[in-house]
Amino acid sequence: MRIVIQRVQHASVTINNTVKSAIGKGFLILLGICAEDSCEDIDWLVRKVVALRVFDDENGVMNKPITDADGEILVISQFTLFASYKKGNRPSWLRAAGHDISIPLYEEFCKKLSEALGKEVGRGEFGADMKVELLNDGPVTICMDTKNKE
């Protein structure tokens, strides 16, 4: 699994001109899933996300996790995070998992993240044409890959 986490002041996802989910201060997470991913990957990512200390403490130092900052999370499925661009100029999506694997893992990631956060996370719609809007705060953008834990 790969994620791109952006600390945001606000974020939303719109589908067919209707806002599906919107959050205030927190994280916008783009989630890419490949065929080799499992619930172990989900557990590792959830622990890392909720413990990531990138919110300002009382001294203006990035020292607080999202739980202490009372932040929210919006998770968007993003198969393009597994694009292969080695040959030519048209990306290949062969490493991205198909719907039979990705949808259950996406749902499980959102469920476990909601439990760890203590509130429901916002979601996009798997496979939909989504318009994602955000105001990156910092900017703070962090990439994580469960196949690169070291």
Side-chain angles (χ1 to χ4, degrees):
M1 286 185 172
R2 286 184 183 157
I3 60 173
V4 175
I5 302 170
Q6 296 184 77
R7 187 180 72 178
V8 297
Q9 287 187 4
H10 59 81
S12 65
V13 60
T14 301
I15 303 167
N16 296 325
N17 296 318
T18 302
V19 175
K20 165 107 167 112
S21 293
I23 63 166
K25 175 184 71 175
F27 289 147
L28 169 67
I29 298 178
L30 305 176
L31 171 68
I33 300 168
C34 72
E36 298 82 33
D37 290 331
S38 69
C39 286
E40 284 181 21
D41 296 296
I42 291 171
D43 293 340
W44 185 84
L45 278 177
V46 167
R47 281 192 308 273
K48 291 302 255 184
V49 168
V50 297
L52 191 63
R53 297 177 4 187
V54 295
F55 291 91
D56 290 350
D57 63 14
E58 54 282 347
N59 298 315
V61 176
M62 287 196 297
N63 201 27
K64 290 170 64 173
I66 192 165
T67 51
D68 290 354
D70 195 31
E72 300 176 278
I73 297 177
L74 173 59
V75 180
I76 305 294
S77 62
Q78 186 77 51
F79 75 95
T80 60
L81 290 178
F82 280 100
S84 175
Y85 45 83
K86 304 268 183 195
K87 293 181 179 179
N89 293 317
R90 183 179 173 150
S92 166
W93 319 115
L94 293 176
R95 290 214 43 228
H99 287 179
D100 56 327
I101 293 171
S102 349
I103 292 174
L105 289 177
Y106 171 78
E107 294 297 331
E108 186 68 10
F109 177 76
C110 291
K111 177 180 167 271
K112 287 186 174 182
L113 194 55
S114 292
E115 290 168 359
L117 185 63
K119 58 178 96 169
E120 198 63 32
V121 301
R123 301 175 187 205
E125 183 177 309
F126 201 91
D129 180 21
M130 297 177 276
K131 308 302 179 206
V132 179
E133 188 172 348
L134 67 130
L135 180 58
N136 194 314
D137 184 15
V140 174
T141 303
I142 296 171
C143 301
M144 291 184 188
D145 191 320
T146 58
K147 304 307 185 256
N148 188 19
K149 296 177 185 174
E150 303 299 315

